[in-house]
Amino acid sequence: RKEVEQDPGPFNVPEGATVAFNCTYSNSASQSFFWYRQDCRKEPKLLMSVYSSGNEDGRFTAQLNRASQYISLLIRDSKLSDSATYLCVVIPTGGNYGGSQGNLIFGKGTKLSVKP
Amino acid sequence: SQTIHQWPATLVQPVGSPLSLECTVEGTSNPNLYWYRQAAGRGLQLLFYSVGIGQISSEVPQNLSASRPQDRQFILSSKKLLLSDSGFYLCAWSVGRTARAQYFGPGTRLTVT
């Protein structure tokens, strides 16, 4: 099983739609989770952290399900500018650096295309 | 605020030629620094990370090397490029000694011909 798995998509949705992505992770000891956004031929940018109780930032809601080992990202009222690839990121442990502990594990991303 | 610079933005190099990519961070001290590669259609692969000057850890065996001559400078090098070295090279930084989010530079797109 891959460490972090995402549906590659593409998800093609109309403007104003609500869309959700899931991401599963294999290491049950993982402590930190993030969603990044990557536009075509650009660097990944941090979209939001994912907290155990779930968190919201405007139209974006992130949730964590530790029992099932997945995180989700919900985008409401999709905009054309939301078109991008969304990367799920997991940090396998919450400890200090040593070996590869603390380094981010990236999913391959889910591509979203919002159409007018 | 912190900023991260990478150069060059684009590079086309022949097989067997050397490589030097540079990354610098401003606005923070003692950052953790990272080099990633993203090959076409693939995910990000961590190549090297550094928690301090002269401290380099390699994640994958390869013909690349990294150095950190100054606190906020990270260099990726190769003596002889291979075709398989083509990709999008990204430098990133974070702070602190516990796991947290990383912030990426604009990247260098390398094509080895």
Side-chain angles (χ1 to χ4, degrees), chain A residues 1-5 23-27 68-70:
Chain A
R1 181 180 176 184
K2 295 179 183 177
E3 291 189 84
V4 178
E5 290 196 72
C23 162
T24 58
Y25 60 95
S26 60
N27 188 333
S68 301
Q69 293 180 216
Y70 77 84

Side-chain angles (χ1 to χ4, degrees), chain A residues 41-87:
Chain A
R41 300 180 69 82
K42 298 289 187 180
E43 75 274 23
K45 294 184 178 179
L46 178 65
L47 180 64
M48 58 196 304
S49 302
V50 185
Y51 302 119
S52 297
S53 57
N55 48 296
E56 189 174 303
D57 183 1
R59 297 181 293 109
F60 299 84
T61 301
Q63 292 191 317
L64 168 64
N65 185 318
R66 287 191 182 275
S68 301
Q69 293 180 216
Y70 77 84
I71 67 173
S72 63
L73 177 67
L74 181 78
I75 305 175
R76 292 181 300 277
D77 190 22
S78 299
K79 311 291 184 190
L80 295 176
S81 57
D82 293 334
S83 297
T85 296
Y86 290 83
L87 305 175

Side-chain angles (χ1 to χ4, degrees), chain B residues 54-69:
Chain B
Q55 300 179 61
I56 308 294
S57 296
S58 174
E59 287 295 297
V60 293
Q62 58 207 315
N63 69 322
L64 299 171
S65 62
S67 62
R68 185 169 177 174

